[in-house]
């Protein structure tokens, strides 16, 4: 069973460049989450989708960040232009939400993308 | 607002010792879920356990056990007879049970604690 797949594993870029992170959720899952992990702020939720629709993007730091989910099997997180303070590990996670009375699955995380902006 | 506090930043033990990782949470929701995740040195986040707010029964899985106390808003994690492979960062997390979404209800977002770094020495 393939888990959540993220690419690339590592990304090094120069300030001002556009960065695109990719995520393939577990097949059949209907919720997708983007998290960012830094030493200072820990794990923060950036945005999450349900049935490909963005539900909560209140964690997106600023307009330089955007996320899309064009279909159930693919999502992107884009930073344009990138800045050194964006350096972090970005995790994608997915789950199957069955509602309050259903037995929804826990979040399953990908291996993360380590982004370094110089 | 939801909040998860893991007061222990780092814990160091010697192999075979028992160790308890503390987690205290705050929420206004009456229905919620609690989680523990493990992040080994390789960096991935591994799901360990989920507990819903209706179920205060403690759980044991091999050397792992969890103590959920709703009265004190705590969800502590104990590793018995620790091993070097248990060395990792452990995160406690909280999720609201229901939020609006396009298709009905779903999990809310996970709010994570700051994590506890556990080092088990041989």
């Amino acid at each position: 069973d393939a888990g959540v797949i993220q690419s690339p594993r590592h990304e090094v870029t120069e300030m001002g460049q556009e960065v695109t992170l990719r995520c393939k959720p577990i097949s059949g899952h209907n919720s997708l989450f983007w998290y960012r992990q830094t030493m200072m702020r820990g794990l923060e939720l950036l945005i999450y989708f349900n049935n490909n629709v963005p539900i909560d993007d209140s964690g997106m730091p600023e307009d330089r960040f955007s996320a899309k989910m064009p279909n159930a099997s693919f999502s992107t997180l884009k930073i344009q232009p990138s800045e050194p303070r964006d350096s972090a590990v970005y995790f994608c996670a997915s789950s199957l939400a069955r509602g309050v009375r259903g037995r929804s699955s826990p979040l399953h995380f990908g291996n993360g993308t380590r982004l370094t902006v110089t | 607002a939801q909040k998860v506090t893991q007061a222990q930043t780092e814990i160091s033990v010697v192999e075979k010792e028992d160790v308890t990782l503390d987690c205290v949470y705050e929420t206004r929701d009456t229905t919620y879920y609690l989680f523990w995740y493990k992040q080994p040195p390789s960096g991935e986040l591994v799901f360990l356990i989920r507990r819903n707010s209706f179920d205060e029964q403690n759980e044991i899985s091999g050397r792992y056990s969890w103590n959920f106390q709703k009265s004190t808003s705590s969800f502590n994690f104990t590793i018995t007879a620790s091993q070097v492979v248990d060395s990792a960062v452990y995160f406690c997390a909280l999720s609201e049970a229901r939020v609006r979404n396009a298709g009905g209800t779903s999990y809310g977002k996970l709010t994570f604690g700051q994590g506890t770094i556990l080092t088990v020495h041989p």
Side-chain angles (χ1 to χ4, degrees):
Chain A
D1 235 6
V4 176
I5 299 172
Q6 291 186 247
S7 64
R9 287 299 307 273
H10 302 274
E11 177 80 35
V12 181
T13 190
E14 290 184 350
M15 183 173 66
Q17 295 298 306
E18 177 180 295
V19 175
T20 300
L21 310 182
R22 297 173 175 79
C23 176
K24 177 178 168 56
I26 292 174
S27 178
H29 279 190
N30 58 9
S31 295
L32 184 140
F33 304 76
W34 282 101
Y35 279 85
R36 177 172 69 175
Q37 185 178 31
T38 61
M39 289 294 293
M40 291 297 294
R41 301 174 68 90
L43 278 157
E44 307 173 274
L45 177 70
L46 300 177
I47 186 172
Y48 82 92
F49 296 83
N50 182 264
N51 292 326
N52 312 337
V53 175
I55 302 301
D56 183 352
D57 64 356
S58 59
M60 295 286 264
E62 46 197 276
D63 292 345
R64 298 185 298 107
F65 285 69
S66 62
K68 293 182 179 179
M69 192 163 186
N71 57 62
S73 59
F74 184 65
S75 176
T76 59
L77 177 67
K78 186 176 292 187
I79 309 172
Q80 165 64 20
S82 57
E83 296 182 2
R85 61 193 168 117
D86 302 330
S87 297
V89 179
Y90 290 81
F91 285 101
C92 176
S94 72
S95 72
L96 174 61
R98 294 196 180 95
V100 173
R101 296 192 181 281
R103 184 82 173 154
S104 299
S105 75
L107 268 64
H108 294 271
F109 285 80
N111 287 335
T113 294
R114 182 174 295 277
L115 173 65
T116 303
V117 184
T118 59
Chain B
Q2 298 186 325
K3 185 179 178 182
V4 177
T5 302
Q6 295 179 253
Q8 303 149 308
T9 304
E10 291 190 53
I11 299 176
S12 182
V13 299
V14 177
E15 212 170 15
K16 298 184 183 177
E17 285 185 23
D18 298 347
V19 58
T20 295
L21 310 180
D22 297 334
C23 174
V24 175
Y25 62 91
E26 296 175 29
T27 180
R28 294 180 183 171
D29 296 328
T30 55
T31 304
Y32 50 89
Y33 293 90
L34 294 161
F35 302 77
W36 277 95
Y37 281 83
K38 174 182 179 180
Q39 187 173 38
S42 50
E44 70 271 26
L45 281 160
V46 179
F47 166 75
L48 295 178
I49 190 172
R50 171 185 56 196
R51 172 67 70 217
N52 73 50
S53 52
F54 300 135
D55 182 4
E56 289 194 67
Q57 188 173 13
N58 292 328
E59 184 160 337
I60 298 174
S61 175
R63 297 184 296 108
Y64 295 169
S65 62
W66 291 270
N67 183 358
F68 177 31
Q69 297 278 346
K70 207 168 180 178
S71 59
T72 56
S73 297
S74 66
F75 186 45
N76 297 338
F77 173 31
T78 297
I79 301 175
T80 303
S82 59
Q83 300 176 1
V84 173
V85 294
D86 296 328
S87 297
V89 183
Y90 290 86
F91 291 95
C92 181
L94 169 68
S95 171
E96 55 196 342
R98 181 170 67 178
V99 291
R100 64 175 180 86
N101 63 45
T105 57
S106 78
Y107 274 140
K109 60 185 180 182
L110 280 183
T111 299
F112 284 87
Q114 285 297 100
T116 297
I117 302 170
L118 173 65
T119 304
V120 181
H121 299 281

